[in-house]
Amino acid sequence: MPEEATSVDAANGAAEGTSAAADGAASATTGGAADIIAQGGSGDVWYSIGSLIDKGGPIVAILLVLSVISAAIILLKIVQFWTSGLSRRGFVDPAVDKIERGDLGGSLEILKKHKTPLARAMASGVRAKMRGDLRDEDVAAEIQRVGTMELGSLQRYLRWLEVIGNISPLLGLLGTVIGMINAFQSLEAAGTQVDPALLSGGIWVALLTTAVGLIVALPAITALNLLEGKVDQVRLSMRDGSSRVIAALHARPGSSQSRAAQ
């Protein structure tokens, strides 16, 4: 029948187009979801970004944009955390010892050599004490103020990862629902001349958006939890550093608490 011959020719043309897209994608590695979407069969066929958008429509295009934003934020935070030296704590004991001996200037010099959030928070307390005979509550409040600002800098853009991780699967599901609706509409339009390939092709194209959504969400959520865990460690370190600075100020020679104990 002419319709069947046309359907076969179209299927052959689609298969040739798929092979060409696979060859182009195999020669260049591209980040994001486009690299890991494959079609099962005689072999894994890796789609280029253009083919992926053509198959998945605007939903996939939005997800790819979110994938790029997520990757950029993750790289930015990794560089920020690495250069901030969040794990360095070797300066804490020498700085506290200087404070206990009454050498606030020496303690401040030690802390100024280290460009970490913890060092800057502790240094703010030492500076506050050097500016005048402030109460311990005022020194602790200054350390908390600076520490809050430092933590805010570390947490910047993490909310975006949370948003991307939450909405990407929902966008993928939305694309799947829309694709299923289109597939069944095409099936209805075919009438009695139903081609099973038409339905199966529409279904896998529809499921493509869900797969892309999950692929975008998984790295974002994983990175978010790891980065937030590191921020929590810094928060605990700042609380410990603040307590040690206040205790050292109590014990330093000339302090009112030290004179009272004598």
Side-chain angles (χ1 to χ4, degrees), residues 7-177:
S7 176
V8 172
D9 293 338
N12 292 334
E16 293 174 358
T18 301
S19 299
D23 294 336
S27 61
T29 303
T30 55
D35 288 336
I36 48 182
I37 296 298
Q39 175 187 3
S42 58
D44 290 337
V45 182
W46 302 84
Y47 290 96
S48 64
I49 293 179
S51 177
L52 192 65
I53 296 176
D54 181 63
K55 294 291 184 182
I59 298 294
V60 169
I62 295 174
L63 288 171
L64 290 177
V65 172
L66 293 179
S67 175
V68 173
I69 296 174
S70 175
I73 293 174
I74 292 172
L75 291 176
L76 175 64
K77 302 311 290 186
I78 289 175
V79 172
Q80 180 187 11
F81 282 30
W82 179 267
T83 55
S84 296
L86 302 182
S87 301
R88 294 200 297 266
R89 290 178 52 87
F91 57 86
V92 176
D93 290 336
V96 171
D97 290 340
K98 289 284 187 180
I99 296 175
E100 290 177 348
R101 296 191 185 99
D103 186 7
L104 297 182
S107 175
L108 185 60
E109 288 300 321
I110 293 175
L111 294 172
K112 288 171 62 176
K113 294 178 182 178
H114 299 273
K115 306 300 182 182
T116 69
L118 176 58
R120 285 190 286 266
M122 294 177 63
S124 67
V126 175
R127 288 194 188 95
K129 193 65 177 180
M130 292 175 65
R131 286 196 298 266
D133 191 14
L134 300 178
R135 297 177 303 170
D136 294 338
E137 293 81 0
D138 298 327
V139 176
E142 178 64 13
I143 296 176
Q144 182 179 5
R145 182 188 69 82
V146 176
T148 301
M149 295 178 61
E150 295 292 338
L151 290 175
S153 176
L154 295 177
Q155 292 176 318
R156 189 175 302 155
Y157 304 125
L158 292 185
R159 185 65 65 183
W160 278 96
L161 289 180
E162 182 179 357
V163 171
I164 292 173
N166 288 333
I167 69 172
S168 293
L170 296 178
L171 283 173
L173 182 60
L174 174 62
T176 295
V177 172

Side-chain angles (χ1 to χ4, degrees), residues 227-239:
L227 294 172
E228 285 187 338
K230 195 64 177 178
V231 172
D232 289 338
Q233 293 179 6
V234 176
R235 183 179 290 108
L236 293 176
S237 297
M238 286 186 176
R239 290 177 182 174

